[in-house]
Amino acid sequence: MGSHRRILGTTPGVTGVSRRQFLGGTSAAVLAAALTACTGGGQMSRQGQAAGNALQWWDQFRPLTKMLESDLFTPYEQSHAGVTIERRQMDLVDLGQALQVARRSNQMPDVHSLAGLGGVSPAALVSEGWFQPVGKLADFAGSPVADRLYDGIHRFNGEIYSIPPFSGRWHEAVPWFNTALLKEAKVDAEDEPATWDDLRDVARRVTKGTADDVYGMVIPLKDPAYLEALVNRLAMAAGAPGPGAIDWATGAYVFDSQPYIDAVEFLVSLQKDKVVHPASASMGPRDARARWAAGQAAIYPWGAWFIGGLRVDEPQAVERGVGVWHIPCPESTRNFIYSPPQPGTFWVSSQSKKAQPAADLLLRMTTKEFQLKLAAAMDQPPALAEVVQEAEVHPAYRQCVAGFQDDVRIGPVPEVGTPGVWQVLAEMRDIKPNLGDIVQSVLTGANSDVGGQLRRYKDQLSAERERAIKAVKEDKGVEVSLDAWVFANWDRKKDYEQQDYADR
């Protein structure tokens, strides 16, 4: 999926348009920029079909273009006379802004993803009338992903609105490496770096054992969203709870805890070792991938979709050699990485008059046949992750997905346990600087007070949550308290499953 990944979660302030802009309106400047993006940005596929009659589908999944069109849209069109599908693929921020413009002008696509919406909760958009339910239009309750449908994420007021075609068992801090550069530096790729110090050592050896313009690692420091995701995952590897940087025993944020401090200081140590590509400060994730593909750095921490993006844009890098390791931890003792249940990816607009074919397409995405095709695209792991073992994929992708089964557990989500939480999240104002901003300032030398910055952010975010809780209780009569963020029955070694919400 390229650089869009952050980033589809519910972390505040990680994209160009904030939650409050989407729910409460946006500025004329943002709308003007969005209109520019709508007319000049993005890539329109399946040209030549009448837009007024076609089912409009907008998303950000560039590596999935061929698979969506050849294996989903075309077969459906062939078996349903009169149905045509027109897809538009855009970058993350452009998509979010285009959706805002379309919403205001009653020109929403029939189906779209939520990328670029500033971390806004799907429940908030459902309450604002963005979507229509699809559960009565197709048998999602009997589909292979039925046990992955959660209240507050996919189901609202008993109605199914979306389904997860992808797996929730993933993270975006996988160390992808260039096998040729490791070989040149006489590093044994089979000797996996289990600890942070091990990874530092490999990065130093590559930097010293290869050409002068080659470095051990590349980290796109230009993108605070990437840095936020990376530090969250490294902190979990150091023992922090998750997802969401919350102590599930108390409901308190833990951004200033030792695992977070250690995670940032680990990245600082890489900078001090001079093993990070010196142009990293000017790179976004896609820029960094291009530098990696050009052989300028050996290791790039990113998600499973990394190799799918390479195959589309830099196939020569895949042919040269790519491998993958587990995310390292500070010590040899392994800690789990925590992700929420995978949210719905595609949603049917309330403005759509083509809900039936839209629902049919979503249901087709849950079949094993389609899941195998999805795996073959080597993007985010498919919901039926087990199909990766028999899919036609690169061995490194298969190893990456297998690593997720070892390393990742599904954590609690407050919105599922308490419906009023989404209203609190929608009410909360973005705090600046946020985690990604803080990490960026530290790594670029603008600030060295890691602990103080993280503590201030934690305190400000905690105060904002308390304000938002009070506001929604007083103004909207919502029954919610800090207890909604407490999950005393959380077992860090296990998935937090649907029954656990009832038993808490």
Side-chain angles (χ1 to χ4, degrees):
M1 295 182 198
S3 64
H4 77 274
R5 266 311 164 209
R6 36 292 165 338
I7 328 201
L8 275 176
T10 56
T11 304
V14 298
T15 58
V17 183
S18 74
R19 294 186 313 276
R20 292 173 68 83
Q21 283 176 321
F22 259 89
L23 294 177
T26 189
S27 68
V30 170
L31 287 173
L35 284 169
T36 301
C38 285
T39 57
Q43 299 180 10
M44 184 73 76
S45 55
R46 306 171 70 79
Q47 294 275 10
Q49 298 171 4
N53 297 321
L55 185 152
Q56 298 291 317
W57 180 295
W58 292 3
D59 66 59
Q60 78 283 10
F61 299 112
R62 188 178 180 198
L64 300 185
T65 294
K66 183 177 182 298
M67 186 272 298
L68 283 173
E69 297 181 2
S70 300
D71 300 317
L72 183 64
F73 299 155
T74 297
Y76 188 82
E77 290 172 337
Q78 292 174 343
S79 61
H80 292 77
V83 175
T84 58
I85 303 163
E86 186 174 86
R87 175 175 174 263
R88 181 166 190 166
Q89 178 268 319
M90 288 177 270
D91 287 339
L92 176 72
V93 175
D94 290 345
L95 177 57
Q97 293 174 340
L99 286 170
Q100 177 71 348
V101 172
R103 171 76 173 172
R104 291 295 186 86
S105 59
N106 293 318
Q107 298 181 41
M108 288 290 284
D110 298 283
V111 181
H112 63 86
S113 72
L114 303 189
L117 270 65
V120 64
S121 168
L125 298 177
V126 170
S127 74
E128 293 287 323
W130 277 60
F131 312 125
Q132 58 181 297
V134 295
K136 295 179 181 178
L137 300 177
D139 185 19
F140 297 106
S143 74
V145 302
D147 62 344
R148 296 168 174 82
L149 301 178
Y150 283 75
D151 290 336
I153 297 180
H154 315 98
R155 187 188 297 109
F156 304 91
N157 298 321
E159 296 277 2
I160 296 172
Y161 279 76
S162 187
I163 51 95
F166 301 107
S167 170
R169 208 175 298 279
W170 62 275
H171 66 78
E172 58 278 77
V174 178
W176 292 91
F177 59 83
N178 178 317
T179 57
L181 289 180
L182 262 61
K183 184 177 181 180
E184 181 181 344
K186 296 180 171 58
V187 173
D188 184 358
E190 297 298 320
D191 186 14
E192 183 169 357
T195 70
W196 290 355
D197 284 343
D198 292 341
L199 188 62
R200 286 179 67 185
D201 180 62
V202 170
R204 285 193 294 260
R205 290 169 63 187
V206 171
T207 304
K208 293 178 180 179
T210 53
D212 290 342
D213 58 350
V214 175
Y215 295 85
M217 297 186 71
V218 62
I219 300 175
L221 305 182
K222 184 180 179 181
D223 189 340
Y226 170 92
L227 294 172
E228 179 169 351
L230 178 61
V231 169
N232 272 320
R233 300 307 195 172
L234 290 174
M236 293 177 203
I246 292 171
D247 179 353
W248 299 122
T250 65
Y253 291 112
V254 296
F255 288 107
D256 61 341
S257 63
Q258 196 61 46
Y260 273 86
I261 294 172
D262 290 346
V264 179
E265 291 184 342
F266 168 61
L267 296 179
V268 171
S269 73
L270 295 173
Q271 293 274 69
K272 290 181 177 178
D273 289 346
K274 297 183 179 180
V275 300
V276 178
H277 195 297
S280 291
S282 64
M283 297 183 202
R286 192 166 290 177
D287 304 321
R289 192 187 70 197
R291 298 289 188 117
W292 185 95
Q296 297 181 20
I299 302 166
Y300 183 10
W302 204 204
W305 50 87
F306 177 77
I307 191 168
L310 283 176
R311 190 179 64 171
V312 172
D313 294 325
E314 295 99 2
Q316 71 283 355
V318 179
E319 296 172 3
R320 184 176 59 235
V322 55
V324 65
W325 292 315
H326 291 271
I327 182 174
C329 298
E331 308 294 338
S332 57
T333 301
R334 302 291 300 172
N335 293 305
F336 289 113
I337 307 301
Y338 301 100
S339 292
Q342 182 64 23
T345 302
F346 300 107
W347 302 73
V348 179
S349 169
S350 59
Q351 298 178 11
S352 174
K353 292 181 171 42
K354 300 178 176 65
Q356 184 62 62
D360 291 342
L361 289 167
L362 294 185
L363 184 63
R364 288 192 174 201
M365 299 182 83
T366 72
T367 64
K368 182 179 179 180
E369 179 184 13
F370 183 84
Q371 290 280 300
L372 279 166
K373 298 288 187 180
L374 193 59
M378 295 187 292
D379 200 273
Q380 187 168 333
L384 307 182
E386 62 273 13
V387 304
V388 173
Q389 292 303 313
E390 56 183 291
E392 296 181 5
V393 299
H394 191 283
Y397 182 80
R398 184 175 288 112
Q399 184 179 349
C400 174
V401 176
F404 290 154
Q405 313 314 304
D406 297 333
D407 295 341
V408 181
R409 295 293 178 266
I410 304 301
V413 176
E415 298 98 303
V416 175
T418 306
V421 167
W422 73 261
Q423 296 196 54
V424 176
L425 298 178
E427 172 64 26
M428 288 177 68
R429 297 170 294 210
D430 295 330
I431 302 298
K432 290 287 187 176
N434 62 23
L435 176 61
D437 300 326
I438 293 168
V439 177
Q440 184 183 62
S441 70
V442 171
L443 294 180
T444 56
N447 196 298
S448 60
D449 183 15
V450 176
Q453 287 279 304
L454 292 175
R455 184 167 54 255
R456 280 188 287 275
Y457 175 60
K458 190 276 298 272
D459 290 344
Q460 291 174 334
L461 191 61
S462 300
E464 176 59 18
R465 181 174 59 174
E466 291 177 5
R467 184 202 66 79
I469 289 173
K470 182 179 180 181
V472 300
K473 289 175 69 174
E474 293 181 353
D475 299 343
K476 301 178 181 178
V478 176
E479 291 298 324
V480 64
S481 71
L482 187 59
D483 289 342
W485 282 262
V486 175
F487 295 87
N489 62 340
W490 177 60
D491 182 343
R492 66 168 54 241
K493 296 180 181 180
K494 299 179 180 179
D495 289 341
Y496 199 86
E497 299 179 341
Q498 300 211 33
Q499 184 57 43
D500 294 320
Y501 289 97
D503 297 339
R504 59 189 286 223

